[in-house]
Amino acid sequence: MAIQTIALDTPVPVRITDDRTRRPADNRAGWGMAAPFVVIYVIFLIGPTLYGLVMSFFNSSLQRNGLGSAAGLGNYAEAITSADFWSAMWHTVLFTLMTTPPLVVVALLLAIFTDRLRRGRWFYRLVFFAPYVIPSASVALVFTWLYTPGIGLYGTWLEDIGLTAPNWLADPDWAMASVALATVWWTLGFNFVLYLAGLQEIPRDLYEAASVDGASQFTQLRRITLPLLRRTTVLIVALQIIASLKIFDQVYLMTAGGPNFATRVSLMYVYDYGFTDFRTGYAAAASMLYMLLILAASLGWFILSRRQRREA
Amino acid sequence: MTATTVSQRVPARQATTRGRRQVDWRTRYFNWFCVSVLLVFAAIWVIPLIWAADTSLKPDGEIAVNPTTWWSSHFTFAAYRTVLGVGNIQTWYLNSFVISLLAATLSIIVCSMAGFALARTRFRWQRALFALTAVGLLIPSQVLIVPLFKEFNAVHLLNTYWVQVLPAIVTPPIAVFIFYTFFNGIPNELAESAHMDGAGWFHIYRKIYMPLTRPAISAVFIFTFVWKWNDFLWPLLTMTNPRTMTLPVGLSQVSSDYGIQYAEIMASAVLGALPLLVVFLLFQRRIVEGVSTTGLK
């Protein structure tokens, strides 16, 4: 997961100068060293992408090899007119809307507070980042137990302070929020660490100068910290949106898309049609539409960060 | 905050001393506020883990009677004995370890060579390869599950290590760019002069550039290893035999194995979380640095 979320941020300096004349020996050496990558890359990434695109125009099935009969745009038409497909898309977006704000804002606040400490930073870094390295399956087991109606820790706490505990994962109105809460716990550390790194790059003398001028802590935060963290924030928000749109594990493990499909997200939908109903052609078409959603998010970020770079 | 620099800068000493005292007073309150908020959040963050460990150490009978007490008069490792003795968890550990190790190692070898070729050698279609690799960054691996599954199914490689390792080497091709950026940061003259002296490109890559690339190597290794160790969807689809399952996939089955034996379930969760937690405790600084440098650069 980590490597996927950072994937999009690498600057891509496409500036390969051909200032030297290419010699056949150099040509061979270059291709020779790139060859293992190219072969694996074409077979396991580019190939499947194109195969998936082709498959989406056929009635492919998991039960037989080959593409099956041509479907034209049939799979796409079916997906676009299917209420279930759109409800899965909406659940994906809903999950993103539920997780992104807390994962950005809480991470920012905790990072700002931690950055002020003179001692003990390592402790908070440890506590907040540790869940991030735990497999989703363990997280799901622990939170399912915490959410167990009647005997789970969270419900009991709420009842102790006089509130009625919701039915967490079993209530269609609460299931998504419960999954989102577990996700915030699980992945907050990544953003927290990125923010801490961003904060460390702010020159300390800016704060000293400001406090000499009598600026309050709050003013310093508003006028120095937040503006200088803007690049970091854009990065974190973008990575978070893209990561949240890829939600699958927690939903599959904690609710299996239920209750009553209330938490069925897009990847769950693809999984259901491709691997339970064996309709791989249709699942490939749904995947392609889902990829458009993620590409739209990436594109939005690309435009935003380019504009930012031009301003800087 | 640091008083010495403040007084050095400002000529009118007396005026600032008063001002500083006031600021200090407010700063101190604010610091207290920060620490208390942090402590509350830290508590919220550790409770699920401690609670899981606590539950796993209690006898099942006691959990049934009194599910939410923290203390037990009979703490026991019985659940761990059951999980380790009966289940396949050792096999899952081994599978996850071998797969993650192979994926991380091969990814370093394959992607660093490609990164070097792109950064330091000149060859035909170089720009095209660069662009094609960049496109791969945009393709989420999750949308490849259907075609990739059919591909591996057709060549009968499901339930083997290959189905896990091979796609993980290049998906996503971020490692190529990490190495590319890193190699570009090493002065070109190094490669040029070695090449003039007649050294082959592969030699230059292995003997000169790779030894200078330790930080990138460790970052790529850690990320590929952790990502593959925790990868769930792809192994879930392709490793269906209990003997070939990876740890996360195996763990996803245990709640049906143990039903309401919460101690066993929590023991499984703890055993699943433990290896990487230990690794993280040992290499905390390096892992965090890896996140922040590769994430921000």
Side-chain angles (χ1 to χ4, degrees), chain B residues 204-226:
Chain B
I204 297 171
Y205 153 80
R206 264 219 51 200
K207 295 286 169 182
I208 304 176
Y209 276 69
M210 276 314 257
L212 294 170
T213 320
R214 290 253 173 76
I217 294 175
S218 74
V220 170
F221 186 88
I222 289 168
F223 279 124
T224 315
F225 192 94
V226 170

Side-chain angles (χ1 to χ4, degrees), chain A residues 70-195:
Chain A
L73 288 170
N75 287 326
Y76 287 97
E78 185 183 340
I80 286 172
T81 52
S82 151
D84 285 349
F85 172 79
W86 287 113
S87 108
M89 285 288 239
W90 163 240
H91 291 148
T92 310
V93 173
L94 179 68
F95 176 82
T96 308
L97 293 174
M98 278 177 163
T99 48
T100 305
L103 278 170
V104 174
V105 176
V106 176
L108 172 64
L109 280 180
L110 294 177
I112 288 174
F113 290 175
T114 306
D115 190 55
R116 299 177 58 87
L117 300 178
R118 257 180 239 144
R119 262 170 299 169
R121 280 189 211 170
W122 64 272
F123 171 75
Y124 296 101
R125 215 168 49 185
L126 180 73
V127 165
F128 295 129
F129 192 77
Y132 191 73
V133 301
I134 297 175
S136 54
S138 281
V139 174
L141 288 175
V142 172
F143 273 81
T144 309
W145 166 229
L146 288 167
Y147 286 147
T148 308
I151 53 174
L153 198 61
Y154 285 168
T156 327
W157 279 354
L158 288 182
E159 266 148 33
D160 284 347
I161 57 169
L163 296 168
T164 330
N167 216 340
W168 305 110
L169 297 167
D171 182 337
D173 294 332
W174 278 88
M176 191 60 100
S178 309
V179 174
L181 194 69
T183 307
V184 169
W185 178 83
W186 184 33
T187 59
L188 182 110
F190 185 79
N191 296 349
F192 173 76
V193 163
L194 285 191
Y195 264 132

